[in-house]
Every structure is written in C-alpha cells, then in structure tokens.
Amino acid sequence: MQIIEMYLHELGQESETTRNIMASVPEDLYGWRAHEKGMSIGELLGHLSTVMHSMPDVLGGESFDIGDRPPADDPPRDREQVLSDFDAACARATEWVGGLGETADDTWRLYRGEDEMMAMPRAAAIRFFLFNHLYHHRGQLSAYLRAAGAVVPSVYGPTADVNPFEPAEEVVTA
C-alpha cells in the first residue's frame, strides 16, 4: 500500500473517531477551561477543525513561514457548527492528501522569518503536523471531558464511561 493510500485510510478512520468525540461534548461545556493558560473546550473544538482545514495551505507549498498563520477563529457556537466545520475541514484535507502524488516525497520547510526551523519530506510533515497534531488535541479534549465531569467516548477501546466491546444496554420503555 502506498503512503497516500495509507494516509487516506488513517485520515478517514481517525477523523470519524475525532468527530464522535467532538459530537459528544455538551454545549454547556464549550466555555469550560482546565486552566487559565489553556484553551477552553470550545476553542479546542475549533482548533481541531482548523488543524484539518489548514494543512493544504501550510504543507501544500515548498515551505511555510510560521508568521503567516491566520488569527484564530472565534470558538464555535454550537454542536451543529462544530460538526459542520469539522466535516468541511476533513473533506478538504482528504481531497488534498489524495491529490499529493509524487510531491509527498518533496522536501518541505518551515520558517520563522528567514530562520529555517525544520526541513523534512512532505509525507513526514503530514504525519507530524496533521496526524500527530490531531491526536494530541483529541487526547487533550478527552482529558478535558473527564476533568469537566462529562462522558468520555471510546477512542481505541473502553473508557470508564463507554466500552465498545460490550453489547449496548437495552433501553427499557414503558
């Protein structure tokens, strides 16, 4: 399997898992913050979409200057916006990754002004900036949910709240 096909498979699977966690966040927790220096849950939800949406812009050229980052968007207002933004961002990232072809092996560089901060094959940059970044913030979101007293959905297996390997409990209706 070629790297692009592997990335597309991973992107599809991990995006779905991330979306499930994002969908589970109670809207009344969007303003919750674990620490004054950290993002609120709403800001974190918005950042997860931004990571996915910005990758073609950040990694699509030969280089990127970290000073060219756009300002952060306002946090999403509600679950509908969270999921709509994330779905659109995933579609954009998937289309871009699918169209990479031979450019996946090209060297990509990150600059801060005239200072080169790093250089690596584009495929390695995708792993670092897209996938690892997504997983880092998804884990952060899961930890925030636990600290805020909300249900933590399954990522790769059971949590204290959800066990995907057990049959769903039957709902008894009167």
Side-chain angles (χ1 to χ4, degrees), residues 128-172:
F128 184 78
F129 285 101
L130 177 60
F131 290 112
N132 294 355
H133 195 165
L134 180 71
Y135 306 150
H136 162 74
H137 288 301
R138 183 176 71 194
Q140 186 181 18
L141 180 59
S142 294
Y144 277 22
L145 290 174
R146 174 62 66 224
V151 170
V152 179
S154 170
V155 175
Y156 297 122
T159 69
D161 304 310
V162 177
N163 185 347
F165 305 122
E166 296 286 327
E169 291 185 29
E170 285 189 36
V171 177
V172 179

Side-chain angles (χ1 to χ4, degrees), residues 57 94 145:
D57 299 327
T94 299
L145 290 174

Side-chain angles (χ1 to χ4, degrees), residues 42-114:
E43 291 165 335
L44 186 54
L45 289 167
H47 186 64
L48 283 163
S49 293
T50 301
V51 167
M52 296 293 282
H53 187 269
S54 65
M55 285 307 104
D57 299 327
V58 173
L59 299 174
E62 292 178 11
S63 64
F64 185 77
D65 188 322
I66 198 77
D68 292 338
R69 287 181 313 209
D73 292 334
D74 290 334
R77 298 175 308 280
D78 54 36
R79 182 175 292 110
E80 183 179 332
Q81 182 186 3
V82 165
L83 299 179
S84 175
D85 289 352
F86 189 71
D87 290 345
C90 289
R92 183 172 195 246
T94 299
E95 181 180 348
W96 175 72
V97 169
L100 280 173
E102 297 300 318
T103 65
D105 295 328
D106 292 352
T107 298
W108 176 85
R109 299 172 192 289
L110 180 66
Y111 290 94
R112 180 183 296 130
E114 298 201 15

